[in-house]
Every structure is written in C-alpha cells, then in structure tokens.
Amino acid sequence: MLKLNDTELLRTGVFINGAWSDSAGGPAIPVYNPATGQVIVEVNGADREATVNAIEGAADAQKDWAARPAKERSAILRRWFDLVVANSEDLARILTAEQGKPLAEARGEILYGAAFFEWFAEEAKRVYGETIPSPDRERRMMVMKQPIGVCGAITPWNFPMAMIPRKAAPALAAGCTMVLKPASATPLSALALGELASRAGVPAGVFQVVPGSASVVGEEIVTNPLVRKITFTGSTEVGSHLMAKAAPTVKKLSLELGGNAPVLVFDDADLEVAVKGAIATKFRNMGQTCVCANRIYVQDGIYDHFVEAFSKAVGAMKVGDGMQEGTEQGPLIDTDAVLKVQEHIEDALANGGTLATGGKPHALGGTFFEPTVIANASADMKIAREETFGPVAPLFRFTEEADAIRVANDTEYGLAAYVFTRDNARIWRVTEGLEFGVVGVNTGNTSYEGSPFGGWKLSGVGREGSHHGIDEFLEIKYVCIAH
Ligand SMILES: NC(=O)c1ccc[n+]([C@@H]2O[C@H](COP(=O)([O-])OP(=O)(O)OC[C@H]3O[C@@H](n4cnc5c(N)ncnc54)[C@H](O)[C@@H]3O)[C@@H](O)[C@H]2O)c1
Ligand SMILES: O=C[C@H](O)CS(=O)(=O)O
C-alpha cells in the first residue's frame, strides 16, 4: 500500500460538484505501478451521464465564479498553491507510484505545477481592458476581457502534476470553470489535486475531475455545446482528432502536442555543459517528455569527444524503482512504450547506427530499459522522424551551421529545440532560424511558469504559462457607447 502522511489524498472516486462518488457508472480503472506491474488501486470511472452532470454543474457554477472579485479568485488559487506545496511529499509519492518517474523528478514536478497556481493567482488581478480614442464626438469605445465559460481539459500521463495546474490555474484565474479528464494511466494525481482544490475553497462545480475513457468521457467533453473551450495536452494524432470533433460547436482550442526536439552542439560549445544539458533534456522522465531531445546533432570537430563523454555519463545512470532515493531512471509507463523504443533501436542499428551504450531491456525486467546511445545516426532512420518518447539518444554528425539549422527544422513538429555554442553571433543566427516554439541555449531545462510554452507546426496551438496563458481562457468584448 502507498505510504502517505495524509491518506485522504489518495482518492478513487470522481469529483463532481464538490462531492466524491465511487459510483459514477463507468468501468473501474486499474492504476498500475510501472515499477512493479502491480495495481495500486482501482479508480471509479465515469459514464456519459456522470460526465454530462459534471459539465452542467460547471455551467451552473461558472456565472457566480466569474462574478466574484478577481482578488477572491486569486486568494483561493494562492491557497491551492500553499496546499500543494505543504503536501508535496505525499503528492510526489502518488506521482511516482502511478507514473514511475524518480522521486527527485516528481518533487520537482510538484513544485513546477504548484508555481502555476502561484503565478495565475497574481495574473487573476491583472486582466486589464482598454479604452480606444473615439473617431467622433458621439461615441466612446472600450475593450473588456471576460471568461470564455466552461472549459474542458484533457491531459496526458507523463506530467499530470504539472499539466493539470498549467490548465486549471489560468482557467480559474480568468473566471472559467473546468471539467477535467485525466489520462487513465495517472488519475490519482488529478484526484489528489481535486481534494486540495476543495480544501483551498474552490467552490463546488468550479473544478470537476472526471476519470474515464476517451471514448465516453473525452467524447462528451469535446462535443457538449455547454463546453466553450478545450485545452488539450497529448499526442498530435489525438489533438488533430479533437480539433475535428470540437469543430461543430466551434470551441476555442489550446493544443499542446507532440514534439521531436533537435539538439545542436557546435565545435565551440563547452563540452561539459553540452553533455550535461543534452542528458537533462534527453533522459528527463526516461525520455517521456514532449520537449525531450529526440535528435542530437554534433559538429564534426567535437563529435568523437562528445560521443565518448555523453555515452560514459549515460551508461553510469542509476536505473531502478523511482521510490528509491538516488534512482535516476525509472521504468517506462507501459509495454507499448518499451516496444516503441525497441523498434527505434532496431531500425537505427539496421540502418548504419552503432550502439555506444545500453540498447536492451534492463535486467530489472518489466518496463525498465537501459538508457541508450546510438552513434552514427542518419536521417533515414525512424528515430529521426518519429517521437521516440523513451530513453534513446541518436547522435548525428553535421559540418556546416546552415546544414544544422536545415536538418533541425526538417520535421513536422515544432515544439522545442536546443543549441550549445559559446559564439554570441551564432546564438542569434541559429535561434532566429529554428522553427520551434521553445529554444534552449546552453541549457536543457527551459521549464518556467512565467514563460510562454507551446509549439509551432504539428506541435500545437496556443500558449500555456506566462501572461499569455490567461488569454487562452478569455473572450474580448468591444463596447461602443453613443451618447
Ligand atoms: N506539448 C506538451 O505540452 C505536451 C506535454 C506532455 C505530453 N505531450 C504529448 O503527449 C503524448 C503522450 O501523452 P499520452 O500518451 O497521454 O497522449 P494521448 O494523446 O494518447 O492521450 C492524451 C489524453 O487524451 C485522451 N484521449 C485519447 N484519445 C482521445 C479521444 N479520441 N477523445 C478524447 N480524449 C482522448 C487520453 O485519454 C489522455 O487523457 C506525446 O505525444 C507527448 O509529446 C505534449
Ligand atoms: O512534457 C511535458 C511538459 O510540457 C514539459 S515542460 O516541463 O513543460 O518543459
């Protein structure tokens, strides 16, 4: 059994209209611990009727929530922040148990997610309007911003404790209400956040947590006309599908989708900084992160040194149960993830790649996998085109800067990219030439609640975090007054 200081945080029902229910009509959802393959608990799934009830409850609650002074909404979000921080150890244990990431990473995710409550508690008080100089003496013109209304949120399994606050905080700050369908692999994090929302004073119906299937709960959220906005984080394939499903009711959309991040390491880079940064962005969450390096391009002059230093560091990473302090790489989320990783490795080796370290399932068994480095990677490999979403780093060579920018951009995705160089002029040339929404220079860690996060091309629409993040949940109203 999961050891928690506050066992009330381990919730297994649905959270609708401020009440917990263990009978929401849907099939039970077994939540597995990826490290052991054992069921932690079963969560009660919702059926369509319960989902409709949640949406209607959110619609009933939304007007009063929007009518509250922004300072009141701000204070409640701040309390939510305080409660997440105060319970961060329990939340980290819940996250590691259901998702597999090492406790150290889980603790970081909890605080990163909490920071969105802190940031948007402040943004709630700064939703400003405008006045427009009138073109004549008879009329006065102004612009006000008002909440969109009921928002549907659908979130992935890889960062539940960050992705959910990254949506709920701006939505509630703006005066919207939210109906959330978490990923069925990691519903416990969402339910724990629901418990803390209740303790923070989030009114009944304002934040609904509705675990359940994509085909029932997800489908209702994206098609119900009471839902005016969809904020989705997940794969590009599903995101594209949801765009089509939401079209008949013309819902507003925020889509945070898949990625295929390139890393460019130039000859003049600090080798130690580049190795450290590339490992940070490649192996975070066992490579199961949308902004993970998927392709690492190293200039000819530094290539051999980089392969040696990078492979040595990767080979030394400690693989184990995320609950064990000191673990650096936990298990992958499921066997499908392992199969995808093996497919990319086999394809790369069959197409000229050479194994520098790792390459096979870990001796621990289950879904544990050896952190892997493949040298002499080439563009015709699957790993160059598809999102691996696992602990495999292909190392490509390049000669000219212009070639590096070209190959980096040669993808249908456009989420994150990384550049390692100590040449300031090159930093500007390369970052301006990259077609990505997030660019890290001499770092593999760009995450920050105050920065606009989102992708170009097939990586999505809209931004989360920063002052841009609250605009995703606001409508603009132009008012023209004639005297
Ligand atoms: N851009 C970002 O911020 C970001 C962050 C994390 C993950 N991701 C992406 O998410 C993917 C991995 O997460 P995942 O496997 O959970 O993604 P996924 O797209 O399979 O599922 C995401 C969510 O959508 C739901 N869903 C699936 N099909 C649906 C449907 N037809 N109707 C309604 N809901 C549906 C799932 O139940 C889950 O809750 C990767 O591609 C990764 O790059 C992107
Ligand atoms: O993949 C999940 C997150 O979006 C990555 S980040 O923490 O926002 O960089």
Side-chain angles (χ1 to χ4, degrees), residues 2-6 9-10 33-34 40 83-112 114 158 160-162 186 188-190 192-193 196 321-325:
L2 194 49
K3 293 186 178 63
L4 300 175
N5 296 318
D6 182 348
L9 290 174
L10 190 63
N33 180 337
I40 305 165
L83 285 166
V84 170
V85 173
N87 292 277
S88 59
E89 193 56 24
D90 275 352
L91 296 175
R93 294 182 66 81
I94 289 170
L95 175 54
T96 292
E98 68 174 352
Q99 198 274 338
K101 67 181 63 178
L103 266 180
E105 284 195 34
R107 292 175 181 130
E109 182 181 336
I110 303 305
L111 297 179
Y112 173 48
N158 67 334
M161 285 286 193
T186 54
L188 301 178
S189 297
L193 287 170
L196 294 179
D321 187 326
M323 288 294 188
Q324 292 169 356
E325 297 291 352

Side-chain angles (χ1 to χ4, degrees), residues 112 116 156 158-159 162-163 166 233 256 284-285 288-292 389 415 418 445-448 453 464:
Y112 173 48
F116 289 99
N158 67 334
F159 276 79
M163 298 302 96
R166 196 160 80 176
T233 296
E256 300 288 353
R284 182 176 173 214
N285 196 18
Q288 300 168 127
T289 303
C290 59
V291 293
C292 274
F389 229 56
L415 188 53
Y418 306 88
N445 177 17
T446 58
S447 307
Y448 169 51
F453 183 95
E464 295 187 324

Side-chain angles (χ1 to χ4, degrees), residues 14-277:
V14 301
F15 183 58
I16 296 175
N17 299 336
W20 293 99
S21 167
D22 279 325
S23 58
I29 302 168
V31 184
Y32 293 91
N33 180 337
T36 64
Q38 301 302 307
V39 174
I40 305 165
V41 291
E42 287 199 343
V43 165
N44 178 250
D47 61 7
R48 181 178 177 280
E49 183 183 351
T51 307
V52 170
N53 181 33
I55 292 168
E56 291 175 348
D60 292 343
Q62 197 271 325
K63 291 281 183 291
D64 178 69
W65 178 244
R68 288 185 178 221
K71 208 166 179 180
E72 275 188 36
R73 294 200 297 274
S74 172
I76 290 171
L77 286 172
R78 177 70 205 198
R79 279 202 297 276
W80 202 352
F81 163 75
D82 291 335
L83 285 166
V84 170
V85 173
N87 292 277
S88 59
E89 193 56 24
D90 275 352
L91 296 175
R93 294 182 66 81
I94 289 170
L95 175 54
T96 292
E98 68 174 352
Q99 198 274 338
K101 67 181 63 178
L103 266 180
E105 284 195 34
R107 292 175 181 130
E109 182 181 336
I110 303 305
L111 297 179
Y112 173 48
F116 289 99
F117 292 126
E118 181 186 42
W119 178 272
F120 286 104
E122 288 307 309
E123 288 297 299
K125 296 181 284 187
R126 295 176 179 79
V127 178
Y128 300 138
E130 303 165 37
T131 56
I132 301 168
S134 172
D136 53 52
R137 294 173 183 273
E138 291 71 37
R139 295 177 296 172
R140 292 297 177 269
M141 301 164 173
M142 61 177 284
V143 175
M144 62 173 71
K145 292 182 179 179
Q146 294 180 303
I148 286 179
V150 176
C151 300
I154 299 176
T155 52
W157 51 262
N158 67 334
F159 276 79
M161 285 286 193
M163 298 302 96
I164 294 168
R166 196 160 80 176
K167 297 172 184 303
L172 271 60
C176 296
T177 54
M178 178 164 279
V179 180
L180 164 68
K181 187 204 90 66
S184 295
T186 54
L188 301 178
S189 297
L191 294 167
L193 287 170
E195 169 62 21
L196 294 179
S198 178
R199 296 183 192 178
V202 174
V206 171
F207 181 65
Q208 318 272 48
V209 185
V210 189
S213 70
S215 58
V216 174
V217 175
E219 177 78 9
E220 183 61 34
I221 287 173
V222 295
T223 58
N224 189 301
L226 288 174
V227 175
R228 296 310 316 136
K229 160 88 182 185
I230 295 295
T231 173
F232 170 76
T233 296
S235 64
T236 293
E237 179 189 1
V238 172
S240 174
H241 170 77
L242 299 188
M243 284 183 97
K245 298 295 281 187
T249 51
V250 191
K251 292 177 175 40
K252 296 280 193 298
L253 293 172
S254 294
L255 302 172
E256 300 288 353
L257 305 179
N260 188 315
V263 175
L264 305 181
V265 183
F266 288 91
D267 286 345
D268 62 84
D270 179 311
L271 181 62
E272 186 178 346
V273 168
V275 168
K276 183 181 175 188

